[in-house]
Amino acid sequence: FRFKDSLAEELQRADLVISHAGAGSCLETLEKGKPLIVVINDKLMDNHQLELAKQLHRDGCVLYCNCSTLVETLQSMDLSALKPFPPGQPEKFASFLDKVLGLQ
């Protein structure tokens, strides 16, 4: 998609998502419990997408590749090996901020 307000419907129907490694795209997909292959853009400066993809891969939540290895990744993937992404716990962060700011 070039642009769409929301991909929620497509994510709900998807059996597999192939995406760039933008944090929003990755987290939204993983929160929906969908298997994800992240395709890294090697041309980005300070390739922050690679850092995110590597960490999510180390956590066992995604597979990652670049454009030239996508076909190989699709052919060899084992989606059953992927772990579910743990749910967020925003209340812990809020509690931490309250404590740091002296609000508790």
Side-chain angles (χ1 to χ4, degrees):
F1 298 101
R2 281 191 168 277
F3 176 79
K4 193 166 185 176
D5 287 332
S6 172
L7 294 176
E9 289 179 27
E10 284 75 14
L11 287 175
Q12 194 62 38
R13 290 192 308 256
D15 294 321
L16 170 67
V17 176
I18 301 171
S19 175
H20 73 130
S25 299
C26 290
L27 294 176
E28 186 175 1
T29 300
L30 293 171
E31 287 170 351
K32 296 268 190 254
K34 301 298 179 167
L36 175 61
I37 297 177
V38 175
V39 180
I40 303 302
N41 181 348
D42 294 326
K43 294 176 177 42
L44 288 179
M45 188 185 314
D46 297 328
N47 205 342
H48 62 280
Q49 287 193 2
L50 178 58
E51 292 175 37
L52 177 61
K54 281 184 173 181
Q55 185 59 54
L56 290 172
H57 180 73
R58 278 192 294 268
D59 294 342
C61 298
V62 305
L63 300 174
Y64 78 97
C65 61
N66 58 35
C67 289
S68 63
T69 60
L70 177 58
V71 171
E72 179 184 329
T73 301
L74 289 166
Q75 290 171 337
S76 65
M77 68 184 180
D78 178 7
L79 298 179
S80 68
L82 294 177
K83 297 177 184 174
F85 187 69
Q89 298 176 325
E91 64 282 349
K92 285 188 175 183
F93 182 65
S95 176
F96 169 78
L97 280 181
D98 287 347
K99 191 174 184 178
V100 168
L101 297 172
L103 300 174
Q104 268 186 342

